[in-house]
Amino acid sequence: MITVEKALQLTQSNIQKTTITSDILISKALGYVLAEDILSPIHMPPFRQSAMDGYALGSTDEKTFTLIGEVKAGDDTDPKLQSGEAIRIFTGAPVPSGAQAVIMQEKVTIQKNQVILSEHVVPNANIRPFGEQIKKDDIALTKGTVITAAGIGYLASLGITRILVYKKPSIAIIATGNELISPGQELKHGQIYESNSIMLSSALIKTGFTEEISYYKIEDEYDITLSILENVIDQYDVVLISGGISVGDYDFVGKALQALDVEEIFYKVKQKPGKPLYFAKKQGKTIFALPGNPASSLSCFYIYVLPSLLKISGYANYNLTRSTAISASHYQKKGQRAEFLKALVDHNNVTILDGQASSMLRSFALANTIVYLPEEVTEVNIGDTVTIINLP
Ligand code: AMP
Ligand code: MG
């Protein structure tokens, strides 16, 4: 069994960022990583723009100006403006080329067709210069940037519609277990509802992995396990298996993966929940076998799988962020393993929730963070500083 830190290090060192890129619409680009430098096709702003509703002034040393016209946003005009003249102008409108400054409308009084300034105005005041934000052919966003909503807005403002990004991995989710039936059906004795695949796919969608997810449900039978795993490893970049990786007589995932000649990187981590986590590679494919217990599955997803998926997708910062908080709970560990505890953080205070068993999801459903207790921490007292792992 290896430590959490070793398991994290092994997943990271065995996962490479993809070299496959795809050209996509910016509307689909949220959470993707840029695979090219993006040059601005235009100057932004593309003309001298008024930053205020007010008056464009033909000079800055007078106090009184003669009002000679109006320019509003979207107008395609460049009215002549002489010294001592003013033009009514609105935010976003093109500033006439003869204008020396724009004054806010709150700073003037109007008498007939005279604009009288209540204070002095400096040259170029309230004018957004041509190309102030970015010049044509300058780099707008660099390769490696993670595309956010603001980034999409920025690209749209430059008139860009498509960008080259790193492809996100295709993912197969496989639920194993004879006892599992789909929610909506009636439970027979011995059966439980299958909840891991919908949970993992929701976590994938929430974190931006929507490209291609497929689902499989398999019985605890060696031959079926072998043939489905062979197929999915062939077809998908990442294979997430839930259950069947423990040491029971009907756990066939490990045996099947061994028969398929995958390269096992590790099996079993000194952690709770999630001890039977298994990680392997095969010809550029990534395979995680997650323990079937729901809270173990989801913990392992956040701690190991998600950073791996982010790394494959080109993220430079792929690890979940850790911070510290003050514990509002007392907690005594029962064993030696590192623990990931479902918790609620509010400001800087964190409460460890009841019901931490690996079979239980209720506490996870309420949690907004994970308290991480490394092996050496055996007890937490109220007021102690603890490490928290921020859930996405
Ligand atoms: P396993 O890892 O296959 O030994 O399963 C451990 C526990 O998790 C058992 O109680 C299973 O019934 C349960 N379990 C396994 N897979 C799922 C699943 N997809 N949804 C809900 N519970 C599961
Ligand atoms: Mg099972």
Side-chain angles (χ1 to χ4, degrees):
M1 243 195 316
I2 59 170
T3 64
V4 167
E5 300 304 328
K6 181 74 184 164
L8 282 172
Q9 184 238 308
L10 282 173
T11 42
Q12 287 156 19
S13 60
N14 280 283
I15 278 176
Q16 263 65 51
K17 131 178 164 185
T18 186
T19 51
I20 304 171
T21 58
S22 55
D23 176 71
I24 61 172
L25 284 167
I26 61 166
S27 56
K28 302 272 184 240
L30 195 61
Y32 280 78
V33 176
L34 263 181
E36 59 177 351
D37 286 342
I38 301 283
L39 306 187
S40 180
I42 59 167
H43 285 77
M44 189 62 201
F47 51 88
R48 288 209 312 160
Q49 237 173 27
S50 178
M52 289 290 167
D53 294 320
Y55 296 85
L57 307 175
S59 43
T60 54
D61 33 21
E62 280 95 343
K63 251 201 100 190
T64 304
F65 295 80
T66 307
L67 187 59
I68 60 156
E70 175 182 287
V71 189
K72 57 187 188 301
D75 282 357
D76 178 21
T77 53
D78 186 12
K80 287 252 167 318
L81 191 59
Q82 316 280 352
S83 179
E85 291 178 344
I87 280 185
R88 181 79 171 116
I89 197 162
F90 301 95
T91 307
V95 174
S97 36
Q100 305 299 310
V102 168
I103 187 157
M104 290 168 75
Q105 63 190 38
E106 292 84 348
K107 304 268 168 74
V108 305
T109 46
I110 306 295
Q111 281 174 16
K112 296 207 183 116
N113 69 336
Q114 297 296 298
V115 179
I116 301 153
L117 275 50
S118 63
E119 64 181 55
H120 191 68
V121 64
V122 296
N124 295 316
N126 301 315
I127 296 175
R128 300 175 188 146
F130 175 63
E132 179 188 33
Q133 183 177 190
I134 190 163
K135 307 264 181 310
K136 183 171 187 290
D137 293 332
D138 280 357
I139 295 178
L141 289 176
T142 52
K143 181 174 170 172
T145 303
V146 178
I147 302 296
T148 59
I152 291 173
Y154 177 49
L155 293 167
S157 78
L158 302 177
I160 292 163
T161 57
R162 304 189 73 91
I163 53 175
L164 196 70
V165 295
Y166 290 107
K167 193 182 163 294
K168 289 201 186 176
S170 59
I171 302 167
I173 298 176
I174 301 142
T176 71
N178 289 347
E179 72 280 26
L180 306 174
I181 63 161
S182 299
Q185 293 176 267
E186 202 179 320
L187 283 178
K188 293 207 199 80
H189 184 64
Q191 294 182 323
I192 59 164
Y193 290 121
E194 199 280 293
S195 55
N196 287 351
S197 39
I198 195 168
M199 173 176 70
L200 294 172
S201 69
S202 301
L204 287 168
I205 290 164
K206 164 88 182 174
T207 50
F209 292 91
T210 50
E211 190 149 304
E212 192 186 339
I213 308 176
S214 295
Y215 306 91
Y216 298 81
K217 153 93 211 316
I218 53 181
E219 308 292 305
D220 295 317
E221 277 177 45
Y222 179 72
D223 293 343
I224 300 175
T225 307
L226 184 71
S227 77
I228 297 219
L229 289 183
E230 183 171 25
N231 242 306
V232 294
I233 293 170
D234 195 48
Q235 282 183 55
Y236 297 90
D237 301 318
V238 175
V239 175
L240 303 181
I241 305 154
S242 122
I245 191 62
S246 287
V247 292
D249 292 352
Y250 296 91
D251 290 327
F252 293 116
V253 171
K255 296 175 194 91
L257 289 172
Q258 203 173 6
L260 292 170
D261 254 347
V262 303
E263 182 192 342
E264 178 184 313
I265 309 295
F266 64 75
Y267 175 42
K268 291 194 176 162
V269 182
K270 264 189 259 176
Q271 62 184 6
K272 192 178 164 183
K275 185 172 83 172
L277 175 66
Y278 174 101
F279 171 56
K281 304 193 285 187
K282 190 181 184 183
Q283 288 151 7
K285 307 301 181 83
T286 301
I287 301 144
F288 283 101
L290 310 173
N293 272 310
S296 310
S297 254
L298 192 60
S299 278
C300 290
F301 175 85
Y302 284 127
I303 307 296
Y304 301 97
V305 179
L306 180 59
S308 304
L309 295 174
L310 293 172
K311 186 169 184 191
I312 295 172
S313 311
Y315 280 63
N317 299 320
Y318 41 80
N319 282 318
L320 294 184
T321 54
R322 293 183 187 188
S323 50
T324 56
I326 306 299
S327 180
S329 312
H330 173 258
Y331 185 82
Q332 177 71 51
K333 260 193 201 169
K334 291 205 184 70
Q336 299 286 303
R337 288 178 273 163
E339 295 197 14
F340 296 106
L341 301 168
K342 279 68 77 181
L344 263 178
V345 66
D346 181 19
H347 295 93
N348 200 35
N349 295 313
V350 66
T351 305
I352 298 167
L353 297 169
D354 288 338
Q356 295 288 338
S358 59
S359 55
M360 297 176 181
L361 279 180
R362 185 169 186 272
S363 59
F364 225 145
L366 302 173
N368 61 6
T369 195
I370 297 282
V371 169
Y372 172 47
L373 303 184
E375 275 174 69
E376 62 275 14
V377 178
T378 54
E379 186 181 8
V380 175
N381 287 302
I382 295 171
D384 283 359
T385 298
V386 291
T387 300
I388 59 172
I389 299 177
N390 301 316
L391 291 174

Short mmCIF file of all heavy atoms in Angstrom, two decimals, residues 271-299:
data_model
loop_
_atom_site.label_atom_id
_atom_site.label_comp_id
_atom_site.label_asym_id
_atom_site.label_seq_id
_atom_site.Cartn_x
_atom_site.Cartn_y
_atom_site.Cartn_z
N GLN A 271 -5.54 5.18 2.63
CA GLN A 271 -6.48 6.28 2.80
C GLN A 271 -7.86 5.73 3.14
O GLN A 271 -8.17 4.58 2.89
CB GLN A 271 -6.57 7.09 1.49
CG GLN A 271 -7.10 6.26 0.33
CD GLN A 271 -7.10 7.00 -0.99
OE1 GLN A 271 -6.60 8.11 -1.10
NE2 GLN A 271 -7.66 6.37 -2.02
N LYS A 272 -8.67 6.62 3.70
CA LYS A 272 -10.04 6.26 4.05
C LYS A 272 -10.91 7.46 3.72
O LYS A 272 -10.62 8.54 4.21
CB LYS A 272 -10.08 5.97 5.56
CG LYS A 272 -11.34 5.31 6.04
CD LYS A 272 -11.20 5.06 7.53
CE LYS A 272 -12.58 4.78 8.12
NZ LYS A 272 -12.52 4.61 9.54
N PRO A 273 -11.90 7.34 2.90
CA PRO A 273 -12.27 6.13 2.18
C PRO A 273 -11.40 5.95 0.93
O PRO A 273 -10.60 6.83 0.62
CB PRO A 273 -13.71 6.42 1.76
CG PRO A 273 -13.74 7.90 1.54
CD PRO A 273 -12.78 8.48 2.56
N GLY A 274 -11.57 4.82 0.27
CA GLY A 274 -10.95 4.64 -1.05
C GLY A 274 -9.71 3.79 -1.06
O GLY A 274 -8.91 3.89 -2.02
N LYS A 275 -9.54 2.93 -0.08
CA LYS A 275 -8.31 2.12 -0.02
C LYS A 275 -8.07 1.30 -1.30
O LYS A 275 -6.96 1.32 -1.83
CB LYS A 275 -8.35 1.20 1.21
CG LYS A 275 -7.06 0.42 1.39
CD LYS A 275 -7.01 -0.33 2.70
CE LYS A 275 -7.74 -1.65 2.59
NZ LYS A 275 -7.56 -2.49 3.78
N PRO A 276 -9.08 0.60 -1.85
CA PRO A 276 -8.76 -0.26 -3.00
C PRO A 276 -8.64 0.47 -4.34
O PRO A 276 -8.95 -0.11 -5.39
CB PRO A 276 -9.93 -1.26 -3.04
CG PRO A 276 -10.90 -0.84 -2.02
CD PRO A 276 -10.49 0.47 -1.46
N LEU A 277 -8.21 1.71 -4.34
CA LEU A 277 -8.07 2.43 -5.62
C LEU A 277 -6.97 1.80 -6.47
O LEU A 277 -5.90 1.45 -5.97
CB LEU A 277 -7.72 3.90 -5.33
CG LEU A 277 -7.42 4.76 -6.56
CD1 LEU A 277 -8.65 4.94 -7.43
CD2 LEU A 277 -6.88 6.13 -6.12
N TYR A 278 -7.26 1.70 -7.77
CA TYR A 278 -6.33 1.05 -8.70
C TYR A 278 -6.12 2.00 -9.87
O TYR A 278 -7.07 2.59 -10.39
CB TYR A 278 -6.98 -0.25 -9.16
CG TYR A 278 -6.26 -1.01 -10.24
CD1 TYR A 278 -5.48 -2.11 -9.93
CD2 TYR A 278 -6.41 -0.65 -11.58
CE1 TYR A 278 -4.84 -2.83 -10.94
CE2 TYR A 278 -5.77 -1.35 -12.58
CZ TYR A 278 -4.98 -2.44 -12.26
OH TYR A 278 -4.37 -3.15 -13.25
N PHE A 279 -4.86 2.11 -10.29
CA PHE A 279 -4.54 3.01 -11.41
C PHE A 279 -3.60 2.31 -12.37
O PHE A 279 -2.62 1.70 -11.95
CB PHE A 279 -3.89 4.28 -10.84
CG PHE A 279 -3.31 5.21 -11.88
CD1 PHE A 279 -4.10 5.71 -12.92
CD2 PHE A 279 -1.98 5.60 -11.82
CE1 PHE A 279 -3.56 6.57 -13.88
CE2 PHE A 279 -1.44 6.46 -12.77
CZ PHE A 279 -2.23 6.94 -13.80
N ALA A 280 -3.95 2.35 -13.65
CA ALA A 280 -3.12 1.67 -14.65
C ALA A 280 -3.15 2.46 -15.96
O ALA A 280 -3.95 3.37 -16.15
CB ALA A 280 -3.66 0.27 -14.90
N LYS A 281 -2.20 2.09 -16.84
CA LYS A 281 -2.13 2.70 -18.18
C LYS A 281 -2.07 1.58 -19.21
O LYS A 281 -1.62 0.48 -18.90
CB LYS A 281 -0.83 3.49 -18.37
CG LYS A 281 -0.53 4.55 -17.39
CD LYS A 281 0.60 5.43 -17.90
CE LYS A 281 1.99 4.79 -17.81
NZ LYS A 281 3.09 5.73 -18.17
N LYS A 282 -2.48 1.90 -20.40
CA LYS A 282 -2.22 0.99 -21.51
C LYS A 282 -2.19 1.79 -22.80
O LYS A 282 -3.20 2.37 -23.17
CB LYS A 282 -3.29 -0.11 -21.60
CG LYS A 282 -2.89 -1.18 -22.60
CD LYS A 282 -3.92 -2.27 -22.75
CE LYS A 282 -3.34 -3.32 -23.70
NZ LYS A 282 -4.28 -4.40 -23.96
N GLN A 283 -1.06 1.85 -23.42
CA GLN A 283 -0.90 2.55 -24.70
C GLN A 283 -1.60 3.92 -24.72
O GLN A 283 -2.47 4.16 -25.54
CB GLN A 283 -1.42 1.68 -25.85
CG GLN A 283 -0.49 0.51 -26.13
CD GLN A 283 -1.24 -0.69 -26.69
OE1 GLN A 283 -2.43 -0.62 -26.98
NE2 GLN A 283 -0.54 -1.79 -26.83
N GLY A 284 -1.20 4.75 -23.80
CA GLY A 284 -1.75 6.11 -23.78
C GLY A 284 -3.14 6.21 -23.16
O GLY A 284 -3.68 7.31 -23.01
N LYS A 285 -3.73 5.09 -22.82
CA LYS A 285 -5.05 5.10 -22.19
C LYS A 285 -4.87 5.10 -20.67
O LYS A 285 -3.92 4.51 -20.16
CB LYS A 285 -5.88 3.87 -22.60
CG LYS A 285 -5.98 3.67 -24.10
CD LYS A 285 -6.63 4.87 -24.77
CE LYS A 285 -6.77 4.68 -26.28
NZ LYS A 285 -7.94 3.93 -26.65
N THR A 286 -5.79 5.73 -19.98
CA THR A 286 -5.72 5.85 -18.52
C THR A 286 -6.86 5.06 -17.91
O THR A 286 -8.02 5.21 -18.33
CB THR A 286 -5.85 7.34 -18.14
OG1 THR A 286 -4.78 8.04 -18.78
CG2 THR A 286 -5.78 7.54 -16.65
N ILE A 287 -6.55 4.24 -16.94
CA ILE A 287 -7.57 3.39 -16.33
C ILE A 287 -7.57 3.58 -14.82
O ILE A 287 -6.55 3.39 -14.16
CB ILE A 287 -7.30 1.89 -16.65
CG1 ILE A 287 -7.27 1.70 -18.17
CG2 ILE A 287 -8.34 0.99 -15.99
CD1 ILE A 287 -6.26 0.69 -18.64
N PHE A 288 -8.72 3.98 -14.30
CA PHE A 288 -8.91 4.04 -12.85
C PHE A 288 -9.98 3.04 -12.47
O PHE A 288 -11.08 3.08 -13.04
CB PHE A 288 -9.40 5.42 -12.41
CG PHE A 288 -8.34 6.48 -12.38
CD1 PHE A 288 -8.24 7.40 -13.41
CD2 PHE A 288 -7.47 6.60 -11.30
CE1 PHE A 288 -7.28 8.41 -13.38
CE2 PHE A 288 -6.51 7.60 -11.26
CZ PHE A 288 -6.41 8.51 -12.31
N ALA A 289 -9.68 2.15 -11.54
CA ALA A 289 -10.74 1.34 -10.96
C ALA A 289 -11.00 1.91 -9.58
O ALA A 289 -10.13 1.92 -8.71
CB ALA A 289 -10.32 -0.12 -10.88
N LEU A 290 -12.21 2.45 -9.43
CA LEU A 290 -12.59 3.11 -8.19
C LEU A 290 -13.36 2.12 -7.33
O LEU A 290 -14.14 1.32 -7.85
CB LEU A 290 -13.49 4.31 -8.50
CG LEU A 290 -12.99 5.29 -9.56
CD1 LEU A 290 -14.07 6.31 -9.88
CD2 LEU A 290 -11.73 5.98 -9.07
N PRO A 291 -13.19 2.18 -6.02
CA PRO A 291 -13.96 1.30 -5.15
C PRO A 291 -15.46 1.54 -5.37
O PRO A 291 -15.87 2.66 -5.68
CB PRO A 291 -13.54 1.72 -3.76
CG PRO A 291 -12.35 2.60 -3.90
CD PRO A 291 -12.31 3.11 -5.28
N GLY A 292 -16.26 0.49 -5.19
CA GLY A 292 -17.70 0.60 -5.45
C GLY A 292 -18.46 1.42 -4.43
O GLY A 292 -19.46 2.06 -4.75
N ASN A 293 -17.98 1.42 -3.17
CA ASN A 293 -18.69 2.20 -2.18
C ASN A 293 -18.79 3.65 -2.65
O ASN A 293 -17.78 4.27 -3.00
CB ASN A 293 -17.97 2.13 -0.83
CG ASN A 293 -18.44 0.94 -0.02
OD1 ASN A 293 -19.65 0.74 0.15
ND2 ASN A 293 -17.50 0.15 0.46
N PRO A 294 -20.02 4.18 -2.67
CA PRO A 294 -20.22 5.48 -3.33
C PRO A 294 -19.32 6.62 -2.84
O PRO A 294 -18.77 7.36 -3.65
CB PRO A 294 -21.70 5.76 -3.08
CG PRO A 294 -22.31 4.39 -3.01
CD PRO A 294 -21.29 3.55 -2.31
N ALA A 295 -19.18 6.77 -1.53
CA ALA A 295 -18.36 7.89 -1.05
C ALA A 295 -16.89 7.67 -1.39
O ALA A 295 -16.15 8.64 -1.64
CB ALA A 295 -18.53 8.08 0.45
N SER A 296 -16.46 6.41 -1.45
CA SER A 296 -15.08 6.13 -1.85
C SER A 296 -14.87 6.50 -3.31
O SER A 296 -13.87 7.10 -3.69
CB SER A 296 -14.77 4.64 -1.71
OG SER A 296 -15.13 4.19 -0.45
N SER A 297 -15.85 6.10 -4.13
CA SER A 297 -15.76 6.39 -5.56
C SER A 297 -15.62 7.89 -5.81
O SER A 297 -14.76 8.33 -6.57
CB SER A 297 -17.05 5.93 -6.25
OG SER A 297 -16.82 4.77 -6.99
N LEU A 298 -16.48 8.67 -5.16
CA LEU A 298 -16.48 10.11 -5.42
C LEU A 298 -15.23 10.79 -4.84
O LEU A 298 -14.66 11.67 -5.47
CB LEU A 298 -17.75 10.76 -4.87
CG LEU A 298 -17.99 12.19 -5.35
CD1 LEU A 298 -18.11 12.26 -6.87
CD2 LEU A 298 -19.26 12.79 -4.71
N SER A 299 -14.79 10.34 -3.65
CA SER A 299 -13.55 10.88 -3.09
C SER A 299 -12.40 10.65 -4.06
O SER A 299 -11.63 11.56 -4.36
CB SER A 299 -13.17 10.17 -1.79
OG SER A 299 -13.86 10.69 -0.73
#
